[in-house]
Amino acid sequence: MLTPEHAQARAADIVTRARAAGADAADAVFAADAALEVSVRLGKLEDVGRSESEELGLRVFVGKRSASVSTSDLSVAAMDALVERAVAMAREAPEDAWAGLAPEERLMHGAPPHLDLEDAGDPSPTTLRDMAMAAEDAARAVPGVTNSEGGGASASRVVWALATSHGFAGAYGATGYGLSASVLAGEGSGMQRDYAYHSARHRAHLDSPEDIGREAGERAVARLNPGRVVSGPMPVVFDPRVGTSLLGHLIGAIGGQAITRKTSFLLDALGTRIFPEGVQVRDDPHRPHGLRSRPFDGEGLPVSPTAIIEDGVLETWLLDSAAARQLGLEPTGHAARGIGGAPGVSTSNLYMAAGHVPVATLIEDIADGVFVTELIGSGVNGVTGDYSRGAAGFRIVDGQIAGPVAEFTIAGNLKDMFAQATPANDLVFRFGNNVPTIRIDGMTVASG
């Protein structure tokens, strides 16, 4: 695989060619990745897969007209044809008053921050197989586990580079490791499935296979013989594994495209309190070896930790340059770029800060409620905020986690849900997005 320096040179070269071919401005993305994945089932090797790819995306501007093209053919002839095609397409495209590169004065200059995203290791298929088998073995050893969907382990390396015609060129590499197990408990029609997984930039930071397997097995067994909930309004408590979806709905509602198109239920909420006092939601692209850390955004702007929700108040939209121009604001350093098309927006290491009470205290006054560990379906309206999803989990009875329940629906409106959200103090950084256990009062629960 190319080094970040070589990837950066590739991106810069195609931008130079585009300018020479008649583009007024251009930017290019080069992405390369290599991955090795191993899966096992019932103690036997099931599959070994290796993949490698290199792709280049080019965006060109002719006045206010633009076009994007991409290719995995990186030969000299293909690059020449790509540039010619992109410029010709841009000349025929409709004008866009907001199109253009990021403001030149806002570009990142100097050395990027060191985020420790690369691991020097290169595990063999045998090593990954042994890790996957150890995870599955630990899961199958949990009393009550009766079958397995398998264990898996993976290792990957990526290189990403961006270059623009107005003075930015940067690149970085990252590694990733993953380990998972998925098993079933019980017999016949009463079987229940659950899983556990962990991902990390450095192999040494992965949870042990034994811990991952044990968690998968215990989760599956705990779901056996589910009952039904009683329908009605009640508190709903979100396990951190599913509570992250609430942040996803928040980010979808404050992204530049939703705001410029006026398709967000939070359209008039900037500067107002939408969560209870004390709630904080932050984005930290500089987290060392974070799963979504990055030294610059998809347009070459510097990135920095951002307070999205401060003391319950919505502090900012998330804007790329096009949306910022349309709104008369400044880009926020949240542009995200794929190989094809124009930038959008995304967060990096997004999290809701921990609250002040343990989970036991958070639920101790709940006479009848539900603790949700799985969400099903996607019945969420980003324009109105209406929320309705299938769920499974456990009853909460007299302040204690009780037996498992399944086949029920939780419903509400995201504005009301955010306003009622209370975080516990159990935040752990395990995923790209992280939240503590979250309690939301007043939701409607309906038995399926």
Side-chain angles (χ1 to χ4, degrees), residues 341-394:
V345 298
S346 76
T347 53
S348 55
N349 302 297
L350 181 70
Y351 67 97
M352 177 181 286
H356 302 292
V357 298
V359 175
T361 304
L362 188 74
I363 68 174
E364 67 180 2
D365 66 337
I366 298 177
D368 192 8
V370 290
F371 186 88
V372 174
T373 60
E374 181 180 20
L375 291 170
I376 305 162
S378 55
V380 181
N381 188 321
V383 179
T384 65
D386 289 338
Y387 180 101
S388 179
R389 298 192 66 179
F394 299 86

Side-chain angles (χ1 to χ4, degrees), residues 144-167:
V145 170
T146 55
N147 205 341
S148 173
E149 292 186 334
S154 64
S156 64
R157 185 177 300 274
V158 300
V159 173
W160 197 85
L162 170 70
T164 74
S165 60
H166 65 340

Side-chain angles (χ1 to χ4, degrees), residues 96-440:
D96 181 351
W98 316 114
L101 301 177
E104 183 174 354
E105 67 276 9
R106 292 287 308 278
L107 294 175
M108 188 187 80
H109 298 288
H114 179 62
L115 302 176
D116 194 19
L117 303 182
E118 289 191 88
D119 187 334
D122 188 16
S124 68
T126 300
T127 298
L128 294 180
R129 179 203 63 192
D130 293 344
M131 293 166 61
M133 283 190 171
E136 189 197 33
D137 287 347
R140 293 173 64 200
V142 174
V145 170
T146 55
N147 205 341
S148 173
E149 292 186 334
S154 64
S156 64
R157 185 177 300 274
V158 300
V159 173
W160 197 85
L162 170 70
T164 74
S165 60
H166 65 340
F168 178 82
Y172 61 94
T175 52
Y177 298 86
L179 187 58
S180 65
S182 177
V183 292
L184 299 101
E187 301 287 349
S189 61
M191 296 180 78
Q192 296 290 329
R193 167 195 173 273
D194 216 313
Y195 65 93
Y197 73 97
H198 191 213
S199 302
R201 288 295 185 196
H202 292 243
R203 181 182 161 194
H205 296 160
L206 274 179
D207 287 353
S208 73
E210 292 75 18
D211 286 346
I212 290 172
R214 189 181 309 111
E215 180 186 351
E218 290 175 350
R219 279 182 172 269
V221 171
R223 297 181 63 165
L224 287 172
N225 304 313
R228 295 294 185 94
V229 299
V230 176
S231 299
M234 64 183 69
V236 173
V237 180
F238 290 82
D239 181 276
R241 195 166 72 171
V242 296
T244 56
S245 63
L246 298 174
L247 290 190
H249 302 315
L250 169 66
I251 297 308
I254 64 173
Q257 189 173 82
I259 302 305
T260 57
R261 293 182 176 182
K262 302 184 185 303
T263 57
S264 168
F265 69 94
L266 294 177
L267 187 62
D268 300 317
L270 188 64
T272 68
R273 177 165 282 117
I274 63 172
F275 283 87
E277 292 183 14
V279 172
Q280 299 173 336
V281 176
R282 293 196 167 102
D283 186 40
D284 184 6
H286 291 165
R287 184 173 179 83
H289 43 77
L291 289 175
R292 296 184 181 174
S293 296
R294 56 183 181 175
F296 50 84
D297 83 345
E299 294 182 302
L301 299 186
V303 293
S304 59
T306 302
I308 296 173
I309 303 293
E310 188 68 37
D311 195 27
V313 176
L314 176 61
E315 296 287 347
T316 184
W317 305 132
L318 304 184
L319 305 176
D320 60 19
S321 293
R325 277 189 284 267
Q326 190 168 349
L327 295 171
L329 300 170
E330 291 293 319
T332 61
H334 289 88
R337 181 74 187 278
I339 292 298
V345 298
S346 76
T347 53
S348 55
N349 302 297
L350 181 70
Y351 67 97
M352 177 181 286
H356 302 292
V357 298
V359 175
T361 304
L362 188 74
I363 68 174
E364 67 180 2
D365 66 337
I366 298 177
D368 192 8
V370 290
F371 186 88
V372 174
T373 60
E374 181 180 20
L375 291 170
I376 305 162
S378 55
V380 181
N381 188 321
V383 179
T384 65
D386 289 338
Y387 180 101
S388 179
R389 298 192 66 179
F394 299 86
R395 286 190 68 195
I396 302 173
V397 180
D398 295 330
Q400 300 292 324
I401 301 294
V405 286
E407 298 181 0
F408 62 93
T409 300
I410 57 174
N413 184 277
L414 286 167
K415 279 188 176 181
D416 300 327
M417 292 166 62
F418 290 168
Q420 291 292 326
T422 303
N425 68 350
D426 60 338
L427 176 68
V428 177
F429 288 91
R430 288 184 57 83
F431 312 114
N433 293 346
N434 295 279
V435 298
T437 300
I438 299 173
R439 171 178 170 171
I440 297 178

